Amino acid sequence: MLNMSRRDFVVSTGLAAALGLDARLVISPAFAQKTPDPAAGFHKYKVGSIEVTAIYDGIWEKPHDPAFIKNASVDDTKAALGKAGLTTDFVSIPLTVVVLKVGNRLIMIDSGSGGQWQPTAGKLAANMRAAGIDPGKIGTILISHFHPDHIFGLMQKGTNAPVFPNAELVVSATEYKWWTEPGRVENLPEPRKPLGQRINSVFPGWKNFRLVEGEKEVAPGIRLVNTPGHTPGHAAFHVSSGNQQLMISDDTAYVPALLAPHPEWQGAYDQDGPLAVETRRKLIDRVIAEKMMICGAHFPFPGAGSFAKDGSGYAFTAGKA
Ligand SMILES: [Zn+2]
């Protein structure tokens, strides 16, 4: 709020109105961001012969809210953040998208926020270009789930025109069908209705969706992994090349600072809390047993690391395994 000009206030108020939100909740202009952006907005590493590029979209400096974790207090949350060396002033929720280069194919996982989630995010396109990746050459987009920070980048702000009209959009049939089945929007909780309406007014008209049943190989060396709970058809993606593996967990363990030591915590955004906890443990146990690297959309940038067992929870170590 410091140094906010009248014009910035008007822009934020307009954004709030467009999103159907209370303006006080979204007044957070980019210049008020407290977390510095990474020095480079992209980072490349290898999984066997597959080149992975982690691309920074931005951050949500989420104000503390007693409803954020259903079975933990704000003080518990702050203690976990502090232990992980993060600020306790707010919850740091960075957003990173990965692009895989498999042979000469470019495969992206999720689409980022498209500048339509938090005012402090929406940097994917610029950082992708800085990484030398032409967004027009992305041939396949694997979609983990239909939450705004993962799919709004598919749709132009205002018009909903496709941002990647020539890419194949691969998603779990369960996720697609759940969000688009008759009567869904009316049955969503009030805060989720605008998202449901947007999905239903846009996606059924697009011809480039490929719905996947079960844990199929969706691209060479990449297999969909069913990870329900966060949403009914949430998917992780397992990448394998040579003797190396990477689990792209997406929102199964969204903020490791909180959910590694407390895998039992149920986030407000976990649609089915107990199932999300069961799925999280199963996925992390697999990653540990198979000694693979893991990355997640909300892990600290650039997003990859490894887990180890630690008492009844886990310890997360950032950095290439
Ligand atoms: Zn997310």
Side-chain angles (χ1 to χ4, degrees):
M1 295 272 299
L2 291 173
N3 303 323
M4 181 180 275
S5 71
R6 192 177 187 83
R7 192 181 63 86
D8 292 312
F9 181 80
V10 170
V11 168
S12 294
T13 310
L15 177 64
L19 297 172
L21 297 172
D22 182 332
R24 286 168 299 178
L25 300 177
V26 293
I27 294 175
S28 179
F31 60 73
Q33 183 181 318
K34 295 174 192 71
T35 313
D37 282 341
F42 66 91
H43 176 77
K44 291 181 190 276
Y45 57 96
K46 285 294 219 33
V47 176
S49 63
I50 296 175
E51 183 187 75
V52 184
T53 307
I55 308 171
Y56 191 68
D57 187 58
I59 189 165
W60 181 15
E61 297 175 334
K62 187 187 182 308
H64 287 293
D65 163 12
F68 179 48
I69 306 286
K70 291 173 203 162
N71 47 348
S73 68
V74 168
D75 283 346
D76 294 337
T77 308
K78 284 184 180 175
L81 292 170
K83 260 192 184 166
L86 296 171
T87 179
T88 58
D89 294 345
F90 47 80
V91 184
S92 297
I93 305 183
L95 180 59
T96 299
V97 169
V98 294
V99 174
L100 307 175
K101 191 164 182 239
V102 186
N104 54 13
R105 290 179 62 177
L106 286 177
I107 300 168
M108 183 164 77
I109 290 79
D110 293 334
S111 66
S113 65
Q116 302 160 71
W117 175 55
Q118 298 296 322
T120 45
K123 296 159 185 156
L124 176 68
N127 285 335
M128 191 182 291
R129 287 202 171 83
I133 296 171
D134 175 356
K137 300 262 166 67
I138 303 279
T140 303
I141 302 175
L142 310 178
I143 301 170
S144 64
H145 66 299
F146 279 0
H147 279 171
D149 45 327
H150 301 261
I151 58 164
F152 278 6
L154 296 173
M155 298 175 268
Q156 298 281 2
K157 202 171 181 171
T159 65
N160 287 332
V163 174
F164 302 95
N166 301 319
E168 177 185 42
L169 309 177
V170 178
V171 67
S172 141
T174 308
E175 184 74 358
Y176 187 95
K177 287 176 183 166
W178 190 87
W179 284 95
T180 56
E181 69 190 10
R184 171 58 53 214
V185 176
E186 300 88 274
N187 289 323
L188 284 172
E190 216 49 50
R192 280 283 180 227
K193 281 194 165 72
L195 171 63
Q197 276 157 355
R198 190 174 191 194
I199 288 169
N200 279 279
S201 68
V202 176
F203 288 175
W206 288 3
K207 304 284 177 246
N208 49 338
F209 271 102
R210 172 156 67 98
L211 308 188
V212 178
E213 307 267 3
E215 300 199 319
K216 294 224 170 63
E217 188 171 56
V218 290
I222 305 167
R223 189 173 292 278
L224 188 148
V225 181
N226 285 324
T227 41
H230 187 70
T231 61
H234 185 279
F237 296 96
H238 175 254
V239 180
S240 171
S241 176
N243 60 1
Q244 288 195 300
Q245 303 178 75
L246 169 70
M247 183 65 78
I248 301 172
S249 76
D250 291 305
D251 281 6
T252 311
Y254 35 91
V255 177
L258 304 178
L259 298 178
H262 300 287
E264 76 284 4
W265 283 2
Q266 299 172 24
Y269 303 102
D270 287 332
Q271 194 174 316
D272 181 333
L275 182 58
V277 169
E278 187 186 318
T279 291
R280 180 177 305 137
R281 284 191 177 279
K282 193 173 152 195
L283 191 81
I284 297 175
D285 285 343
R286 177 179 169 192
V287 163
I288 294 170
E290 297 183 34
K291 296 185 172 61
M292 66 177 89
M293 214 178 358
I294 181 169
C295 69
H298 305 299
F299 285 20
F301 185 79
S306 59
F307 278 99
K309 284 196 194 296
D310 184 13
S312 59
Y314 306 96
F316 174 72
T317 306
K320 188 174 175 186

